Amino acid sequence: MTCPDKPGQLINWFICSLCIPRVRKLWSSRRPRTRRNLLLGTACAIYLGFLVSQVGRSSIQHGQAAEKGPHGSRDTAEVPFPEIPLDGTLAPPESQGNGTTLQPNVVYITLRSKRSKPANIRGTVKPKRRKKHAVASVAPGQAALAGPSLQAQEAARAADAAVPGFAQGGNLGKVGERPWRLVWGPGVRAGGSDFLQPQAKESNIRIYSESAPSWLSKDDIRKMRLLADSEVAGLGQVSSKSGARLLVLEGGAPGSAPRCGPSPCGLLKQPLDMSEVFAFHLDRILGLNRTLPSVSRKSEFIQDGRPCPIILWDASLSSASNDTHSSVKLTWGTYQQLLKQKCWQNGRVPKPEWGCTEIHHHEWSKMALFDFLLQIYNRLDTNCCGFRPRKEDACVQNGLRPKCNDQDSAALAHIVQRKHDPRHLVFIDNKGFFDRSEDNLNFKLLEGIKEFPESAVSVLKSQHLRQKLLQSLFLDKVYWESQGGRQGIEKLIDVIEQRAKILITYINAHGAKVLPMNE
């Protein structure tokens, strides 16, 4: 007799040792078989039967384990209920050579692979709130081009061809959604076998808020993006000593030759003329609206790759003379006479003997204020008679400085109108100077001006000029970075704010009027 080695077997043997003698004594004795004794004996008999069946089953399993070895017993111990598969499936039983089948004691579990939901492929990615999102425009002629073959898309379609809920032989998108399409951005060339994903070029005109600043119209934003992002289709030379180039931009009528008129054009100037961009934004903030849209752009035509200003070419401007670049020929003496006559003010038709031009009187006030803030001297003071010029100034290079003795005969330059609107001026060639000290400001630009525009003066008096300039100049990414970021822009604004204070002091000291000039 072997000693039991498990607690359960020990308990069984203990109960069995108590019940067997009692049952045997019960049936062999002469005591009356009461109901209690009968129940107790029946219970003991049932328990003994249960023990016998367990002992027989245990001996069979031990015999099989001895035949299979230690590996089989270890697998059986790991699975406590071999007859219950975890996923309801069992592998077929192994077949022996004599045709009988051997029931397995290992459960084969079939795991169903979970296919992750494919990402929704889109042509564009929605940017974050503080990041520039450019609306990609379709370049002319690209609409007829067939879309490129996307190798990654074809491979994914082959892998997911049998997945329910996805269309076979089509774009990778859910059934019922709009088909995935390629978005062409400006500057992105079509074609190329290595083109795997659509790439929309980010615009250099960045607008993070829902709308542009209020002083910039939708047409201004459209033209700024045209100048900053359009590809160059042609190149022309301008009859100018400044070395400016005329760039023919893409965006004209399909099939037309790349020339100004059918296609938009931009005047590319030298890197030293970057103040043209600042002048454009200042003009819009002051409410003058007399300059042409201008942006900064890195041009492939400049060897060192420095950014250059590019100004929109306006074909509606009146033709100008080659010497003064003006559509109206005026001298300083004639200009002073026009200021006294106040031509076309309050709807009054000037008399022929006054010698008035078609330009409205208020236009001179706007030009004088604008030129003083930026210290632009090449319109009203071409001979540099109102300040001490530097050696590199154009008046000194051209030898015009000695002509200040006869200022009345000095010709005005860059006085330009539009053909369909001769009453208003267009400010061109707006190169400003920020390095001129306060004791060398050109007050000759304000001579003869008795009225100033109310919209511009109110902005100069307010405390929001700096904020508006920062917000507006930030739109031009290339210009912002070329000036050293916010730190460099702040220095330029410091100069304009100081000159604005001096101008307000001048207006108050001379009793000049501030009038609404919204005719």
Side-chain angles (χ1 to χ4, degrees):
M1 182 176 180
T2 61
C3 181
D5 56 351
K6 293 184 180 181
Q9 295 180 3
L10 183 62
I11 296 174
N12 292 336
W13 284 110
F14 178 74
I15 297 176
C16 184
S17 61
L18 294 178
C19 291
I20 293 176
R22 188 174 183 85
V23 172
R24 185 172 55 183
K25 184 178 180 181
L26 177 64
W27 290 99
S28 62
S29 64
R30 296 180 180 179
R31 292 182 180 180
R33 300 177 181 177
T34 61
R35 185 177 183 181
R36 183 185 67 179
N37 294 334
L38 290 176
L39 291 176
L40 182 58
T42 305
C44 291
I46 294 174
Y47 188 75
L48 288 175
F50 175 74
L51 288 179
V52 172
S53 64
Q54 288 293 328
V55 171
R57 183 175 180 180
S58 177
S59 61
I60 295 175
Q61 291 182 355
H62 279 288
Q64 293 178 355
E67 294 177 1
K68 291 187 176 181
H71 296 286
S73 60
R74 183 178 58 190
D75 294 340
T76 307
E78 290 181 357
V79 184
F81 301 101
E83 67 275 5
I84 304 178
L86 296 182
D87 63 342
T89 59
L90 276 176
E94 298 179 358
S95 177
Q96 293 181 341
N98 55 4
T100 61
T101 59
L102 181 64
Q103 295 294 334
N105 60 349
V106 179
V107 179
Y108 292 88
I109 304 175
T110 304
L111 298 178
R112 295 186 178 93
S113 61
K114 295 183 179 180
R115 182 183 297 273
S116 60
K117 183 180 179 181
N120 191 11
I121 303 177
R122 299 183 183 274
T124 57
V125 180
K126 185 177 180 181
K128 296 181 180 179
R129 190 63 177 173
R130 288 295 302 166
K131 188 170 183 180
K132 165 75 179 173
H133 173 65
V135 179
S137 59
V138 180
Q142 291 179 344
L145 296 176
S149 60
L150 305 183
Q151 300 175 2
Q153 179 176 341
E154 294 294 337
R157 182 186 294 112
D160 293 333
V163 178
F166 287 82
Q168 299 185 14
N171 293 324
L172 285 180
K174 288 184 178 180
V175 176
E177 284 190 356
R178 296 179 60 186
W180 184 88
R181 63 187 181 89
L182 187 62
V183 179
W184 296 99
V188 179
R189 292 292 187 181
S193 59
D194 56 346
F195 188 85
L196 298 182
Q197 292 182 356
Q199 297 178 354
K201 180 181 178 182
E202 182 179 1
S203 175
N204 287 323
I205 306 302
R206 47 189 181 184
I207 300 178
Y208 294 153
S209 58
E210 296 180 356
S211 60
S214 59
W215 51 87
L216 293 174
S217 64
K218 293 182 179 179
D219 189 59
D220 288 336
I221 299 298
R222 181 185 64 84
K223 293 177 179 178
M224 290 170 63
R225 283 177 170 161
L226 176 69
L227 294 172
D229 304 327
S230 297
E231 291 192 358
V232 178
L235 181 65
Q237 188 70 31
V238 182
S239 58
S240 175
K241 298 179 181 179
S242 61
R245 294 176 178 268
L246 191 62
L247 303 183
V248 182
L249 305 175
E250 289 187 351
S256 61
R259 59 186 178 87
C260 295
S263 301
C265 292
L267 187 65
L268 183 68
K269 291 194 173 183
Q270 298 296 327
L272 295 177
D273 300 328
M274 287 292 290
S275 55
E276 293 261 9
V277 179
F278 191 99
F280 163 69
H281 290 273
L282 180 62
D283 166 74
R284 294 299 193 266
I285 292 174
L286 296 179
L288 304 178
N289 299 321
R290 292 295 179 266
T291 62
L292 298 173
S294 176
V295 300
S296 182
R297 176 169 177 162
K298 292 182 179 179
S299 175
E300 58 273 19
F301 303 103
I302 306 300
Q303 294 182 356
D304 55 5
R306 289 185 298 170
C308 304
I310 177 171
I311 299 96
L312 183 68
W313 178 266
D314 194 343
S316 65
L317 298 181
S318 301
S319 58
S321 60
N322 293 331
D323 51 349
T324 62
H325 303 284
S326 299
S327 58
V328 179
K329 190 174 182 179
L330 292 174
T331 61
W332 177 260
T334 307
Y335 166 68
Q336 291 297 319
Q337 292 296 326
L338 295 178
L339 295 179
K340 295 178 181 179
Q341 298 298 336
K342 299 182 179 180
C343 303
W344 305 100
Q345 187 175 8
N346 299 325
R348 183 179 56 177
V349 179
K351 296 179 180 181
E353 58 269 17
W354 291 354
C356 290
T357 62
E358 294 180 317
I359 302 173
H360 196 281
H361 174 68
H362 289 166
E363 295 298 299
W364 306 115
S365 301
K366 296 177 180 179
M367 176 182 287
L369 180 143
F370 184 72
D371 287 0
F372 180 81
L373 292 176
L374 295 171
Q375 287 296 295
I376 301 173
Y377 65 88
N378 59 1
R379 270 192 283 262
L380 300 176
D381 191 12
T382 55
N383 295 342
C384 303
C385 300
F387 66 102
R388 299 184 302 274
R390 301 170 302 177
K391 294 181 180 180
E392 56 268 21
D393 288 330
C395 57
V396 177
Q397 296 290 333
N398 298 329
L400 302 176
R401 177 69 175 173
K403 297 183 179 180
C404 291
N405 296 330
D406 187 14
Q407 298 187 25
D408 290 342
S409 61
L412 305 186
H414 303 102
I415 308 299
V416 181
Q417 313 148 281
R418 284 189 170 91
K419 299 176 182 178
H420 63 278
D421 187 14
R423 291 284 184 271
H424 302 94
L425 292 173
V426 178
F427 301 164
I428 63 172
D429 200 0
N430 303 311
K431 181 180 179 180
F433 298 88
F434 294 90
D435 56 350
R436 195 163 298 163
S437 59
E438 296 180 10
D439 59 350
N440 193 28
L441 295 179
N442 192 354
F443 284 92
K444 188 175 185 287
L445 305 174
L446 304 177
E447 189 173 335
I449 303 297
K450 304 299 180 182
E451 301 93 6
F452 289 91
E454 182 183 25
S455 61
V457 174
S458 62
V459 174
L460 298 178
K461 288 183 177 180
S462 67
Q463 303 296 326
H464 304 296
L465 177 61
R466 176 179 297 271
Q467 176 185 355
K468 290 183 177 181
L469 281 172
L470 287 173
Q471 183 179 358
S472 189
L473 293 171
F474 182 78
L475 301 182
D476 195 328
K477 178 182 178 180
V478 178
Y479 179 79
W480 183 273
E481 295 175 352
S482 67
Q483 301 302 312
R486 177 163 184 166
Q487 184 178 2
I489 298 294
E490 292 269 12
K491 294 180 180 179
L492 302 180
I493 299 177
D494 290 339
V495 176
I496 299 300
E497 283 189 335
Q498 187 61 29
R499 292 177 182 175
K501 295 178 182 178
I502 296 174
L503 178 60
I504 298 301
T505 303
Y506 177 89
I507 293 174
N508 297 332
H510 290 77
K513 297 180 181 179
V514 179
L515 304 175
M517 299 183 180
N518 299 324
E519 76 288 341

